[in-house]
């Protein structure tokens, strides 16, 4: 495992343009290209995840791993394997040329025989990560703790019926939150992978919600105690691995935060595949979070329309991503968040370079979607038609209703007097969809613009 793991890949992956024939080049993504006066890299804030890309062997429920990941050999010394994994991961990040990465504690540091040993392993590995960051310039978009893989978390972490599991999870999050601060991470994520239930026959819903609220309160308190300036994020998901998870979607998370007085402490990290599993579009989840002031960050991926589970495939739909990016830019863009590629290669993608091909394609898709979203912002037609649809609320009737001056009786009086006789108006859905498609076609032409000549 000595030497370069991706020795056949040039460093870094270059922008070649749409006419480039080399598959190991970006066709649209040009970090320095200006879009709406801002660098493309700064709009997208792309991150690479260390779990699927470097800590997953390519296994599924019917078979063992297929990937060439020598550091996952169980016969190796765990810390030596962890070092080799980090070497390969940061080689990949440097050659891909993206600014950020994300990881769980257990992605990088093996669990020891005791909590103290696990803590020591993490501390040693964080020192190695610091050295890699200094050498490559890569930054940490977010860190998190794995509170779902070990058997102790089979019935959840914060919502576990055993308070000792709650305490262990709290200790693990404390270490990783402090580790994220040590690495100057922009965010810290909590994903409730097993915070839910398999059957209501053995579940006390009210008790488990109180436990989860208490856990999240403890995390927020410790964030302030240690002076961590990053954003705390919760990641919604409706089910899988549990039958039902308490962080079902952005609206559910928002309601939970408001009920427990935590709405000022947390935002959401939205995953595209989780949104569709919840029966929503990715666009909806982003728009809801922005409208309610809880938008934080994105896990960029997609599901398979024929499967009912979280396939975590690389994003390839400009149409879907354009609408989400339109909402993000319209809402002011990312602050501490970004697009993390929480993505898996397909099990038969065995070549080492397949990891580059997957990310290059997904990043180019994001870049094209950004150009479409910018075109929609500049054209202004969608915003203008939306404002026209609600224009009546700026008149006397609308303002009296929203200000509280109108009562049910006064409104009934106006209707009865014949002063109000509303008629339906067109929502113009097909026109709006055509306007979006028009910008997609226009962006294909804009993608031809030479490096640095952007909008």
């Amino acid at each position: 495992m000595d030497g370069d793991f991706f020795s056949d890949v040039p460093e870094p992956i270059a922008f070649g343009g749409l006419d480039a024939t080399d598959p190991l080049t970006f066709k649209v993504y040009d970090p320095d290209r200006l879009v709406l006066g801002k660098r493309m890299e700064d709009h997208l804030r792309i991150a690479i995840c260390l779990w699927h890309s470097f800590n997953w062997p390519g296994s599924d429920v019917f078979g063992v791993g297929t990937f060439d990941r020598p550091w996952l050999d169980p016969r190796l010394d765990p810390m030596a394997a962890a070092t080799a994994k980090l070497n390969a991961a940061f080689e990949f990040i440097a050659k891909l040329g993206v600014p950020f990465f994300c990881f769980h504690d257990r992605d990088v540091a093996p669990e020891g025989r005791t909590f103290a040993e696990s803590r020591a392993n993490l501390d040693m590995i964080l020192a190695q990560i610091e050295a890699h960051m200094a050498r490559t310039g890569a930054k940490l978009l977010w860190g998190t703790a794995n509170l779902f893989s070990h058997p102790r978390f089979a019935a959840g972490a914060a919502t576990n019926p055993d308070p000792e599991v709650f305490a262990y999870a709290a200790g693990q999050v404390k270490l990783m939150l402090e580790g994220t601060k040590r690495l100057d991470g922009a965010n810290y994520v909590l994903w409730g992978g097993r915070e839910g239930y398999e059957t209501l026959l053995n579940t006390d819903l009210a008790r488990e919600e109180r436990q989860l609220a208490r856990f999240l309160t403890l995390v927020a308190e410790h964030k302030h105690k240690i002076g961590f300036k990053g954003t705390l994020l919760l990641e919604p998901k409706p089910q899988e691995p549990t039958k039902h998870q308490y962080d079902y979607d952005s609206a559910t998370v928002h309601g939970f935060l408001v009920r427990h007085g935590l709405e000022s402490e947390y935002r959401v990290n939205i995953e595209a595949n989780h949104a569709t599993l919840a029966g929503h579009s990715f666009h909806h989840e982003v728009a809801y979070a922005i409208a309610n002031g809880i938008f934080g960050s994105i896990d960029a991926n997609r599901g398979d329309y024929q499967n009912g589970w979280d396939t975590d495939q690389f994003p390839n739909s400009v149409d879907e991503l354009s609408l989400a990016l339109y909402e993000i830019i319209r809402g002011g863009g990312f602050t501490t968040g970004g697009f993390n590629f929480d993505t898996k290669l397909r099990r038969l993608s065995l070549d080492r370079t397949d990891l580059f091909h997957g990310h290059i394609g997904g990043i180019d898709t994001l870049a094209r979607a950004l150009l479409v979203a910018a075109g929609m912002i500049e054209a202004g037609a969608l915003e203008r038609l939306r404002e026209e649809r609600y224009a009546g609320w700026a008149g006397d009737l609308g303002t009296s209703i929203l200000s509280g001056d109108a009562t049910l009786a006064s409104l009934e009086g106006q209707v009865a007097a014949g002063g109000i006789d509303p008629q339906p108006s067109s929502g113009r859905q097909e026109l709006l969809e055509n306007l979006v498609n028009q910008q997609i076609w226009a962006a294909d032409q804009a993608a031809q613009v030479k490096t640095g000549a952007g909008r």
Side-chain angles (χ1 to χ4, degrees):
M1 290 189 293
D2 294 332
D4 292 343
F5 187 69
F6 300 103
S7 57
D8 295 335
V9 178
E11 182 178 348
I13 299 295
F15 169 71
L18 292 179
D19 295 331
T21 58
D22 184 354
L24 291 175
T25 56
F26 291 115
K27 308 305 184 291
V28 183
Y29 178 68
D30 177 7
D32 292 325
R33 178 173 180 171
L34 293 180
V35 180
L36 299 177
K38 188 175 181 179
R39 295 174 64 248
M40 188 174 276
E41 179 180 275
D42 297 331
H43 271 295
L44 299 177
R45 294 171 59 85
I46 293 168
I48 303 305
C49 82
L50 299 195
W51 49 99
H52 293 324
S53 294
F54 297 95
N55 208 46
W56 178 55
S59 58
D60 64 19
V61 294
F62 296 106
V64 298
T66 59
F67 292 162
D68 175 19
R69 304 290 186 268
W71 49 82
L72 297 182
D73 188 333
R75 295 170 296 182
L76 296 174
D77 172 75
M79 289 299 287
T83 296
K85 184 195 305 179
L86 281 183
N87 291 341
F90 278 92
E91 179 192 351
F92 178 80
I93 292 167
K95 288 187 173 183
L96 192 63
V98 297
F100 295 101
F101 67 99
C102 302
F103 71 97
H104 302 79
D105 49 359
R106 298 297 182 250
D107 298 333
V108 297
E111 181 150 7
R113 291 164 295 181
T114 64
F115 184 81
E117 186 176 317
S118 297
R119 179 173 55 198
N121 289 345
L122 180 62
D123 186 63
M124 286 187 284
I125 290 296
L126 289 178
Q128 294 185 34
I129 293 176
E130 285 176 316
H132 281 297
M133 292 173 68
R135 176 178 57 82
T136 64
K139 300 176 183 178
L140 180 61
L141 185 67
W142 52 259
T144 187
N146 181 331
L147 304 181
F148 48 88
S149 292
H150 194 281
R152 72 172 64 89
F153 300 123
T159 59
N160 199 286
D162 184 350
E164 291 192 353
V165 176
F166 183 108
Y168 196 100
Q172 196 172 328
V173 169
K174 174 183 178 294
L175 295 183
M176 192 54 195
L177 182 59
E178 292 170 353
T180 300
K181 178 180 181 293
R182 172 178 170 179
L183 299 179
D184 197 26
N187 309 271
Y188 184 87
V189 171
L190 295 105
W191 176 54
R194 297 191 187 275
E195 309 295 10
Y197 63 79
E198 296 294 339
T199 174
L200 284 172
L201 298 176
N202 63 5
T203 302
D204 186 332
L205 289 173
R207 178 187 294 274
E208 293 195 358
E209 174 164 330
R210 290 196 302 271
Q211 290 176 207
L212 183 56
R214 183 59 186 146
F215 192 93
L216 296 181
T217 299
L218 291 173
V219 174
E221 289 173 349
H222 195 66
K223 168 197 167 176
H224 296 301
K225 180 179 179 181
I226 64 175
F228 176 54
K229 302 302 182 183
T231 303
L232 296 177
L233 302 172
L234 298 176
E235 184 169 326
K237 189 178 183 182
Q239 73 276 323
E240 195 214 36
T242 63
K243 178 179 180 178
H244 173 84
Q245 288 172 210
Y246 298 134
D247 51 4
Y248 191 93
D249 59 8
S250 292
T252 303
V253 170
H254 182 218
F256 175 92
L257 294 174
V258 171
R259 282 197 302 279
H260 296 285
L262 292 167
E263 64 271 26
S264 65
E265 299 287 358
Y266 288 89
R267 294 188 174 189
V268 288
N269 181 61
I270 300 169
E271 179 175 312
N273 203 170
H274 293 179
T276 51
L277 284 176
H280 304 306
S281 67
F282 180 38
H283 181 203
H284 164 85
E285 285 291 271
V286 172
Y288 179 91
I290 291 173
N292 289 278
I294 59 168
F295 177 72
S297 196
I298 296 292
D299 275 4
N301 57 26
R302 65 183 168 97
D304 188 306
Y305 294 123
Q306 293 178 297
N307 292 335
W309 61 87
D310 196 7
T311 55
D312 288 330
Q313 293 172 246
F314 285 89
N316 66 356
S317 173
V318 175
D319 298 23
E320 293 179 358
L321 286 174
S322 297
L323 297 176
L325 268 161
Y326 174 70
E327 298 295 341
I328 293 171
I329 296 174
R330 182 170 168 264
F334 290 113
T335 52
T336 59
F339 278 100
N340 170 48
F341 272 75
D342 184 3
T343 46
K344 294 178 181 176
L345 289 174
R346 297 304 88 195
R347 193 166 178 261
L348 294 180
S349 296
L350 306 180
D351 294 342
R352 294 182 181 183
T353 53
D354 287 331
L355 199 58
F356 281 93
H357 295 312
H359 283 86
I360 289 169
I363 291 170
D364 271 339
T365 301
L366 266 182
R368 285 184 63 202
L370 175 63
L371 295 177
V372 175
M376 290 191 283
I377 294 287
E378 286 184 324
L382 295 179
E383 191 67 30
R384 184 175 65 254
L385 290 169
R386 191 192 316 232
E387 290 177 357
E388 288 176 1
R389 190 171 184 228
Y390 293 94
W393 287 93
D396 292 341
L397 178 61
T399 54
S400 69
I401 293 171
L402 295 179
S403 68
D405 292 339
T407 66
L408 208 59
S410 69
L411 293 173
E412 189 271 341
Q414 292 183 63
V415 174
I420 296 178
D421 184 17
Q423 299 299 313
S425 59
S426 176
R428 302 179 178 182
Q429 180 173 332
E430 290 74 20
L431 168 62
L432 296 168
E433 291 169 348
N434 289 347
L435 291 172
V436 171
N437 279 336
Q438 179 182 341
Q439 291 300 327
I440 291 174
W441 302 328
D444 286 340
Q445 295 179 326
Q448 309 267 5
V449 177
K450 298 297 183 182
T451 303
R455 298 178 181 277

